[in-house]
Amino acid sequence: MAKEKGGFWVGVAAAVFYPATALMARRRDEGEERIPRTGGALLVMNHVSHLDPVYDAVFTHRRGRVPHFLAKHSLWKVPVLGAVLRGARQIPVYRGTSDAQQSLRAAHEALEQGLLVIIYPEGTITRDPDGWPMNSRTGVARLALEHDVPVLPAARWGTRDLYDHYRGKFRPFPRKTVVTRVGAPVDLSAHRAQPQSIALLREVTDLIMGEVKGLLSEVREETAPDGFYSKKS
């Protein structure tokens, strides 16, 4: 399969993001060789800061891949940013509307076209006070089960030290370190053989996010809590 060409807007984003991320933080990348150079792949990540997509985009682009994020559709209305998102073929997410299913359809099409899709299954920045993953939406399981592509769990830590949205703190100094670790592909062969159900989607979602949480525990060198944080708790 031919390698995807980024195009003009991906080049513009790279020209801005590379120096900006390097200025704000050192990088430590681990397991990036697990991301295939070509072909469809689903990269499943935790979400702790609005800076996550910027660092994750640079991380995957350095691997030679064009990242395709699922992101809330309101960002497409932001001047300049909207043009970049459209030009770079990002995937708008319409939650709570009649267009909600279109978001997943676009992600399915991207995987079928051999693209790299990055998803934050929590749907928003975690509200867990300690930064551990929350209960996640099951759309990630639908994507993972319906496509024979690598499903790669990954954890990134350090971006919340730079920008903590809920506390309203931006702290570029002293210079921070952002660590990203990619784990081995999740084996879903047994699950793909089962009839799809709500229970199966929840099981697969928690299985994948459990791998993400385990990687985050390793990166942080801390013991992760049992289960997942609920923003209703």
Side-chain angles (χ1 to χ4, degrees), residues 161-190:
D161 291 337
L162 276 169
Y163 178 55
D164 188 332
H165 172 72
Y166 295 126
R167 293 182 176 86
K169 293 182 178 180
F170 177 58
R171 297 166 292 190
F173 305 107
R175 195 161 174 246
K176 310 298 190 296
T177 298
V178 173
V179 182
T180 305
R181 178 176 294 184
V182 180
V186 182
D187 183 3
L188 297 175
S189 54

PDB file of all heavy atoms in Angstrom, residues 161-190:
ATOM      1  N   ASP A 161       0.970  18.814  32.676  1.00  0.00           N
ATOM      2  CA  ASP A 161       1.893  19.683  33.405  1.00  0.00           C
ATOM      3  C   ASP A 161       2.107  21.000  32.668  1.00  0.00           C
ATOM      4  O   ASP A 161       2.376  22.035  33.277  1.00  0.00           O
ATOM      5  CB  ASP A 161       3.249  18.986  33.598  1.00  0.00           C
ATOM      6  CG  ASP A 161       3.166  17.822  34.567  1.00  0.00           C
ATOM      7  OD1 ASP A 161       2.233  17.815  35.401  1.00  0.00           O
ATOM      8  OD2 ASP A 161       4.010  16.922  34.481  1.00  0.00           O
ATOM      9  N   LEU A 162       1.974  20.944  31.333  1.00  0.00           N
ATOM     10  CA  LEU A 162       2.099  22.154  30.525  1.00  0.00           C
ATOM     11  C   LEU A 162       0.825  22.995  30.583  1.00  0.00           C
ATOM     12  O   LEU A 162       0.864  24.188  30.856  1.00  0.00           O
ATOM     13  CB  LEU A 162       2.385  21.779  29.074  1.00  0.00           C
ATOM     14  CG  LEU A 162       3.818  21.507  28.674  1.00  0.00           C
ATOM     15  CD1 LEU A 162       3.847  20.889  27.284  1.00  0.00           C
ATOM     16  CD2 LEU A 162       4.621  22.794  28.696  1.00  0.00           C
ATOM     17  N   TYR A 163      -0.300  22.329  30.287  1.00  0.00           N
ATOM     18  CA  TYR A 163      -1.573  23.051  30.285  1.00  0.00           C
ATOM     19  C   TYR A 163      -2.649  22.209  30.944  1.00  0.00           C
ATOM     20  O   TYR A 163      -3.040  21.171  30.426  1.00  0.00           O
ATOM     21  CB  TYR A 163      -1.993  23.416  28.863  1.00  0.00           C
ATOM     22  CG  TYR A 163      -3.335  24.125  28.834  1.00  0.00           C
ATOM     23  CD1 TYR A 163      -3.548  25.273  29.590  1.00  0.00           C
ATOM     24  CD2 TYR A 163      -4.382  23.643  28.069  1.00  0.00           C
ATOM     25  CE1 TYR A 163      -4.775  25.920  29.583  1.00  0.00           C
ATOM     26  CE2 TYR A 163      -5.613  24.282  28.046  1.00  0.00           C
ATOM     27  CZ  TYR A 163      -5.804  25.415  28.808  1.00  0.00           C
ATOM     28  OH  TYR A 163      -7.014  26.037  28.808  1.00  0.00           O
ATOM     29  N   ASP A 164      -3.111  22.664  32.098  1.00  0.00           N
ATOM     30  CA  ASP A 164      -4.167  22.006  32.853  1.00  0.00           C
ATOM     31  C   ASP A 164      -5.443  22.818  32.660  1.00  0.00           C
ATOM     32  O   ASP A 164      -5.622  23.876  33.270  1.00  0.00           O
ATOM     33  CB  ASP A 164      -3.777  21.935  34.333  1.00  0.00           C
ATOM     34  CG  ASP A 164      -4.744  21.084  35.147  1.00  0.00           C
ATOM     35  OD1 ASP A 164      -5.925  21.003  34.767  1.00  0.00           O
ATOM     36  OD2 ASP A 164      -4.302  20.506  36.163  1.00  0.00           O
ATOM     37  N   HIS A 165      -6.323  22.327  31.816  1.00  0.00           N
ATOM     38  CA  HIS A 165      -7.531  23.077  31.445  1.00  0.00           C
ATOM     39  C   HIS A 165      -8.431  23.325  32.647  1.00  0.00           C
ATOM     40  O   HIS A 165      -8.920  24.456  32.845  1.00  0.00           O
ATOM     41  CB  HIS A 165      -8.297  22.318  30.361  1.00  0.00           C
ATOM     42  CG  HIS A 165      -9.635  22.906  30.054  1.00  0.00           C
ATOM     43  ND1 HIS A 165      -9.778  24.093  29.366  1.00  0.00           N
ATOM     44  CD2 HIS A 165     -10.901  22.475  30.357  1.00  0.00           C
ATOM     45  CE1 HIS A 165     -11.072  24.371  29.247  1.00  0.00           C
ATOM     46  NE2 HIS A 165     -11.766  23.420  29.836  1.00  0.00           N
ATOM     47  N   TYR A 166      -8.673  22.311  33.444  1.00  0.00           N
ATOM     48  CA  TYR A 166      -9.630  22.447  34.532  1.00  0.00           C
ATOM     49  C   TYR A 166      -9.131  23.379  35.633  1.00  0.00           C
ATOM     50  O   TYR A 166      -9.920  23.996  36.345  1.00  0.00           O
ATOM     51  CB  TYR A 166      -9.973  21.075  35.109  1.00  0.00           C
ATOM     52  CG  TYR A 166     -10.704  20.195  34.113  1.00  0.00           C
ATOM     53  CD1 TYR A 166     -10.242  18.917  33.806  1.00  0.00           C
ATOM     54  CD2 TYR A 166     -11.849  20.650  33.476  1.00  0.00           C
ATOM     55  CE1 TYR A 166     -10.911  18.127  32.886  1.00  0.00           C
ATOM     56  CE2 TYR A 166     -12.518  19.867  32.556  1.00  0.00           C
ATOM     57  CZ  TYR A 166     -12.046  18.604  32.260  1.00  0.00           C
ATOM     58  OH  TYR A 166     -12.713  17.826  31.346  1.00  0.00           O
ATOM     59  N   ARG A 167      -7.824  23.502  35.785  1.00  0.00           N
ATOM     60  CA  ARG A 167      -7.278  24.429  36.771  1.00  0.00           C
ATOM     61  C   ARG A 167      -6.873  25.765  36.152  1.00  0.00           C
ATOM     62  O   ARG A 167      -6.458  26.683  36.850  1.00  0.00           O
ATOM     63  CB  ARG A 167      -6.068  23.798  37.480  1.00  0.00           C
ATOM     64  CG  ARG A 167      -6.436  22.612  38.353  1.00  0.00           C
ATOM     65  CD  ARG A 167      -5.203  22.047  39.064  1.00  0.00           C
ATOM     66  NE  ARG A 167      -5.537  20.988  39.977  1.00  0.00           N
ATOM     67  CZ  ARG A 167      -5.660  19.705  39.648  1.00  0.00           C
ATOM     68  NH1 ARG A 167      -5.448  19.341  38.385  1.00  0.00           N
ATOM     69  NH2 ARG A 167      -5.976  18.792  40.544  1.00  0.00           N
ATOM     70  N   GLY A 168      -7.000  25.848  34.811  1.00  0.00           N
ATOM     71  CA  GLY A 168      -6.680  27.089  34.119  1.00  0.00           C
ATOM     72  C   GLY A 168      -5.221  27.487  34.238  1.00  0.00           C
ATOM     73  O   GLY A 168      -4.901  28.679  34.327  1.00  0.00           O
ATOM     74  N   LYS A 169      -4.326  26.496  34.191  1.00  0.00           N
ATOM     75  CA  LYS A 169      -2.907  26.785  34.374  1.00  0.00           C
ATOM     76  C   LYS A 169      -2.091  26.392  33.149  1.00  0.00           C
ATOM     77  O   LYS A 169      -2.159  25.254  32.686  1.00  0.00           O
ATOM     78  CB  LYS A 169      -2.370  26.038  35.600  1.00  0.00           C
ATOM     79  CG  LYS A 169      -2.957  26.528  36.921  1.00  0.00           C
ATOM     80  CD  LYS A 169      -2.351  25.781  38.100  1.00  0.00           C
ATOM     81  CE  LYS A 169      -2.902  26.293  39.421  1.00  0.00           C
ATOM     82  NZ  LYS A 169      -2.313  25.561  40.578  1.00  0.00           N
ATOM     83  N   PHE A 170      -1.337  27.351  32.623  1.00  0.00           N
ATOM     84  CA  PHE A 170      -0.377  27.089  31.548  1.00  0.00           C
ATOM     85  C   PHE A 170       1.011  27.350  32.119  1.00  0.00           C
ATOM     86  O   PHE A 170       1.332  28.478  32.522  1.00  0.00           O
ATOM     87  CB  PHE A 170      -0.643  28.017  30.360  1.00  0.00           C
ATOM     88  CG  PHE A 170       0.352  27.852  29.238  1.00  0.00           C
ATOM     89  CD1 PHE A 170       0.536  26.631  28.623  1.00  0.00           C
ATOM     90  CD2 PHE A 170       1.103  28.939  28.803  1.00  0.00           C
ATOM     91  CE1 PHE A 170       1.457  26.476  27.589  1.00  0.00           C
ATOM     92  CE2 PHE A 170       2.025  28.801  27.776  1.00  0.00           C
ATOM     93  CZ  PHE A 170       2.196  27.561  27.168  1.00  0.00           C
ATOM     94  N   ARG A 171       1.843  26.291  32.160  1.00  0.00           N
ATOM     95  CA  ARG A 171       3.143  26.389  32.824  1.00  0.00           C
ATOM     96  C   ARG A 171       4.254  25.843  31.922  1.00  0.00           C
ATOM     97  O   ARG A 171       4.695  24.702  32.087  1.00  0.00           O
ATOM     98  CB  ARG A 171       3.105  25.606  34.143  1.00  0.00           C
ATOM     99  CG  ARG A 171       2.107  26.165  35.166  1.00  0.00           C
ATOM    100  CD  ARG A 171       1.858  25.199  36.292  1.00  0.00           C
ATOM    101  NE  ARG A 171       1.141  24.026  35.823  1.00  0.00           N
ATOM    102  CZ  ARG A 171       0.618  23.087  36.626  1.00  0.00           C
ATOM    103  NH1 ARG A 171       0.772  23.180  37.925  1.00  0.00           N
ATOM    104  NH2 ARG A 171      -0.019  22.057  36.122  1.00  0.00           N
ATOM    105  N   PRO A 172       4.706  26.636  30.960  1.00  0.00           N
ATOM    106  CA  PRO A 172       5.767  26.165  30.062  1.00  0.00           C
ATOM    107  C   PRO A 172       7.147  26.111  30.716  1.00  0.00           C
ATOM    108  O   PRO A 172       8.050  25.460  30.191  1.00  0.00           O
ATOM    109  CB  PRO A 172       5.738  27.184  28.927  1.00  0.00           C
ATOM    110  CG  PRO A 172       5.203  28.434  29.557  1.00  0.00           C
ATOM    111  CD  PRO A 172       4.221  27.981  30.599  1.00  0.00           C
ATOM    112  N   PHE A 173       7.304  26.797  31.839  1.00  0.00           N
ATOM    113  CA  PHE A 173       8.601  26.823  32.519  1.00  0.00           C
ATOM    114  C   PHE A 173       8.436  26.372  33.968  1.00  0.00           C
ATOM    115  O   PHE A 173       7.448  26.719  34.615  1.00  0.00           O
ATOM    116  CB  PHE A 173       9.210  28.231  32.468  1.00  0.00           C
ATOM    117  CG  PHE A 173       9.343  28.777  31.071  1.00  0.00           C
ATOM    118  CD1 PHE A 173       8.489  29.784  30.622  1.00  0.00           C
ATOM    119  CD2 PHE A 173      10.298  28.260  30.216  1.00  0.00           C
ATOM    120  CE1 PHE A 173       8.599  30.262  29.340  1.00  0.00           C
ATOM    121  CE2 PHE A 173      10.420  28.752  28.918  1.00  0.00           C
ATOM    122  CZ  PHE A 173       9.568  29.748  28.486  1.00  0.00           C
ATOM    123  N   PRO A 174       9.381  25.610  34.472  1.00  0.00           N
ATOM    124  CA  PRO A 174      10.542  25.071  33.753  1.00  0.00           C
ATOM    125  C   PRO A 174      10.102  24.069  32.691  1.00  0.00           C
ATOM    126  O   PRO A 174       9.002  23.539  32.760  1.00  0.00           O
ATOM    127  CB  PRO A 174      11.365  24.396  34.856  1.00  0.00           C
ATOM    128  CG  PRO A 174      10.355  24.030  35.896  1.00  0.00           C
ATOM    129  CD  PRO A 174       9.336  25.132  35.878  1.00  0.00           C
ATOM    130  N   ARG A 175      10.969  23.836  31.729  1.00  0.00           N
ATOM    131  CA  ARG A 175      10.645  22.982  30.582  1.00  0.00           C
ATOM    132  C   ARG A 175      10.273  21.585  31.049  1.00  0.00           C
ATOM    133  O   ARG A 175      10.954  20.978  31.867  1.00  0.00           O
ATOM    134  CB  ARG A 175      11.848  22.924  29.639  1.00  0.00           C
ATOM    135  CG  ARG A 175      11.547  22.379  28.258  1.00  0.00           C
ATOM    136  CD  ARG A 175      12.643  22.790  27.295  1.00  0.00           C
ATOM    137  NE  ARG A 175      12.493  22.192  25.986  1.00  0.00           N
ATOM    138  CZ  ARG A 175      13.341  21.318  25.473  1.00  0.00           C
ATOM    139  NH1 ARG A 175      14.409  20.933  26.171  1.00  0.00           N
ATOM    140  NH2 ARG A 175      13.175  20.832  24.262  1.00  0.00           N
ATOM    141  N   LYS A 176       9.186  21.077  30.506  1.00  0.00           N
ATOM    142  CA  LYS A 176       8.649  19.781  30.914  1.00  0.00           C
ATOM    143  C   LYS A 176       9.151  18.657  30.004  1.00  0.00           C
ATOM    144  O   LYS A 176       9.827  18.892  28.995  1.00  0.00           O
ATOM    145  CB  LYS A 176       7.120  19.805  30.880  1.00  0.00           C
ATOM    146  CG  LYS A 176       6.490  20.991  31.619  1.00  0.00           C
ATOM    147  CD  LYS A 176       6.808  20.996  33.089  1.00  0.00           C
ATOM    148  CE  LYS A 176       5.987  22.034  33.847  1.00  0.00           C
ATOM    149  NZ  LYS A 176       6.263  23.427  33.467  1.00  0.00           N
ATOM    150  N   THR A 177       8.760  17.421  30.331  1.00  0.00           N
ATOM    151  CA  THR A 177       9.028  16.252  29.491  1.00  0.00           C
ATOM    152  C   THR A 177       7.710  15.566  29.177  1.00  0.00           C
ATOM    153  O   THR A 177       6.918  15.300  30.089  1.00  0.00           O
ATOM    154  CB  THR A 177       9.963  15.248  30.191  1.00  0.00           C
ATOM    155  OG1 THR A 177      11.226  15.870  30.443  1.00  0.00           O
ATOM    156  CG2 THR A 177      10.187  14.017  29.313  1.00  0.00           C
ATOM    157  N   VAL A 178       7.454  15.331  27.916  1.00  0.00           N
ATOM    158  CA  VAL A 178       6.265  14.594  27.484  1.00  0.00           C
ATOM    159  C   VAL A 178       6.708  13.208  27.031  1.00  0.00           C
ATOM    160  O   VAL A 178       7.557  13.073  26.147  1.00  0.00           O
ATOM    161  CB  VAL A 178       5.529  15.318  26.343  1.00  0.00           C
ATOM    162  CG1 VAL A 178       4.395  14.446  25.799  1.00  0.00           C
ATOM    163  CG2 VAL A 178       4.984  16.656  26.832  1.00  0.00           C
ATOM    164  N   VAL A 179       6.135  12.195  27.664  1.00  0.00           N
ATOM    165  CA  VAL A 179       6.482  10.809  27.362  1.00  0.00           C
ATOM    166  C   VAL A 179       5.309  10.144  26.645  1.00  0.00           C
ATOM    167  O   VAL A 179       4.157  10.276  27.069  1.00  0.00           O
ATOM    168  CB  VAL A 179       6.795  10.014  28.648  1.00  0.00           C
ATOM    169  CG1 VAL A 179       7.199   8.587  28.312  1.00  0.00           C
ATOM    170  CG2 VAL A 179       7.888  10.710  29.447  1.00  0.00           C
ATOM    171  N   THR A 180       5.581   9.443  25.564  1.00  0.00           N
ATOM    172  CA  THR A 180       4.568   8.675  24.839  1.00  0.00           C
ATOM    173  C   THR A 180       5.063   7.247  24.693  1.00  0.00           C
ATOM    174  O   THR A 180       6.190   7.018  24.249  1.00  0.00           O
ATOM    175  CB  THR A 180       4.294   9.261  23.445  1.00  0.00           C
ATOM    176  OG1 THR A 180       3.938  10.636  23.564  1.00  0.00           O
ATOM    177  CG2 THR A 180       3.168   8.502  22.754  1.00  0.00           C
ATOM    178  N   ARG A 181       4.214   6.293  25.084  1.00  0.00           N
ATOM    179  CA  ARG A 181       4.586   4.886  24.971  1.00  0.00           C
ATOM    180  C   ARG A 181       3.486   4.130  24.235  1.00  0.00           C
ATOM    181  O   ARG A 181       2.306   4.209  24.595  1.00  0.00           O
ATOM    182  CB  ARG A 181       4.786   4.265  26.356  1.00  0.00           C
ATOM    183  CG  ARG A 181       5.130   2.766  26.304  1.00  0.00           C
ATOM    184  CD  ARG A 181       5.430   2.196  27.678  1.00  0.00           C
ATOM    185  NE  ARG A 181       6.647   2.784  28.238  1.00  0.00           N
ATOM    186  CZ  ARG A 181       7.180   2.408  29.403  1.00  0.00           C
ATOM    187  NH1 ARG A 181       6.599   1.458  30.124  1.00  0.00           N
ATOM    188  NH2 ARG A 181       8.294   2.980  29.838  1.00  0.00           N
ATOM    189  N   VAL A 182       3.863   3.400  23.191  1.00  0.00           N
ATOM    190  CA  VAL A 182       2.926   2.585  22.410  1.00  0.00           C
ATOM    191  C   VAL A 182       3.102   1.131  22.809  1.00  0.00           C
ATOM    192  O   VAL A 182       4.224   0.617  22.865  1.00  0.00           O
ATOM    193  CB  VAL A 182       3.162   2.743  20.895  1.00  0.00           C
ATOM    194  CG1 VAL A 182       2.171   1.890  20.105  1.00  0.00           C
ATOM    195  CG2 VAL A 182       3.053   4.204  20.492  1.00  0.00           C
ATOM    196  N   GLY A 183       1.993   0.470  23.093  1.00  0.00           N
ATOM    197  CA  GLY A 183       2.031  -0.933  23.476  1.00  0.00           C
ATOM    198  C   GLY A 183       1.836  -1.862  22.294  1.00  0.00           C
ATOM    199  O   GLY A 183       1.635  -1.420  21.147  1.00  0.00           O
ATOM    200  N   ALA A 184       1.896  -3.150  22.567  1.00  0.00           N
ATOM    201  CA  ALA A 184       1.681  -4.158  21.530  1.00  0.00           C
ATOM    202  C   ALA A 184       0.225  -4.146  21.076  1.00  0.00           C
ATOM    203  O   ALA A 184      -0.675  -3.782  21.853  1.00  0.00           O
ATOM    204  CB  ALA A 184       2.055  -5.536  22.071  1.00  0.00           C
ATOM    205  N   PRO A 185      -0.040  -4.512  19.824  1.00  0.00           N
ATOM    206  CA  PRO A 185      -1.434  -4.554  19.352  1.00  0.00           C
ATOM    207  C   PRO A 185      -2.294  -5.445  20.245  1.00  0.00           C
ATOM    208  O   PRO A 185      -1.851  -6.496  20.718  1.00  0.00           O
ATOM    209  CB  PRO A 185      -1.302  -5.144  17.939  1.00  0.00           C
ATOM    210  CG  PRO A 185       0.095  -4.832  17.525  1.00  0.00           C
ATOM    211  CD  PRO A 185       0.917  -4.902  18.769  1.00  0.00           C
ATOM    212  N   VAL A 186      -3.514  -5.011  20.483  1.00  0.00           N
ATOM    213  CA  VAL A 186      -4.443  -5.776  21.303  1.00  0.00           C
ATOM    214  C   VAL A 186      -4.999  -6.928  20.469  1.00  0.00           C
ATOM    215  O   VAL A 186      -5.475  -6.714  19.344  1.00  0.00           O
ATOM    216  CB  VAL A 186      -5.593  -4.898  21.815  1.00  0.00           C
ATOM    217  CG1 VAL A 186      -6.539  -5.698  22.706  1.00  0.00           C
ATOM    218  CG2 VAL A 186      -5.038  -3.694  22.581  1.00  0.00           C
ATOM    219  N   ASP A 187      -4.945  -8.140  21.000  1.00  0.00           N
ATOM    220  CA  ASP A 187      -5.456  -9.317  20.298  1.00  0.00           C
ATOM    221  C   ASP A 187      -6.966  -9.399  20.488  1.00  0.00           C
ATOM    222  O   ASP A 187      -7.454  -9.697  21.582  1.00  0.00           O
ATOM    223  CB  ASP A 187      -4.785 -10.583  20.831  1.00  0.00           C
ATOM    224  CG  ASP A 187      -5.226 -11.844  20.084  1.00  0.00           C
ATOM    225  OD1 ASP A 187      -6.015 -11.726  19.119  1.00  0.00           O
ATOM    226  OD2 ASP A 187      -4.788 -12.949  20.466  1.00  0.00           O
ATOM    227  N   LEU A 188      -7.709  -9.131  19.426  1.00  0.00           N
ATOM    228  CA  LEU A 188      -9.170  -9.147  19.493  1.00  0.00           C
ATOM    229  C   LEU A 188      -9.767 -10.265  18.652  1.00  0.00           C
ATOM    230  O   LEU A 188     -10.960 -10.253  18.354  1.00  0.00           O
ATOM    231  CB  LEU A 188      -9.718  -7.792  19.015  1.00  0.00           C
ATOM    232  CG  LEU A 188      -9.325  -6.569  19.860  1.00  0.00           C
ATOM    233  CD1 LEU A 188      -9.835  -5.299  19.190  1.00  0.00           C
ATOM    234  CD2 LEU A 188      -9.877  -6.686  21.271  1.00  0.00           C
ATOM    235  N   SER A 189      -8.949 -11.242  18.273  1.00  0.00           N
ATOM    236  CA  SER A 189      -9.420 -12.304  17.377  1.00  0.00           C
ATOM    237  C   SER A 189     -10.610 -13.066  17.955  1.00  0.00           C
ATOM    238  O   SER A 189     -11.579 -13.359  17.248  1.00  0.00           O
ATOM    239  CB  SER A 189      -8.276 -13.270  17.063  1.00  0.00           C
ATOM    240  OG  SER A 189      -7.679 -13.762  18.255  1.00  0.00           O
ATOM    241  N   ALA A 190     -10.574 -13.373  19.243  1.00  0.00           N
ATOM    242  CA  ALA A 190     -11.681 -14.109  19.866  1.00  0.00           C
ATOM    243  C   ALA A 190     -12.946 -13.257  19.931  1.00  0.00           C
ATOM    244  O   ALA A 190     -14.063 -13.749  19.772  1.00  0.00           O
ATOM    245  CB  ALA A 190     -11.281 -14.564  21.265  1.00  0.00           C
TER     246      ALA A 190
END
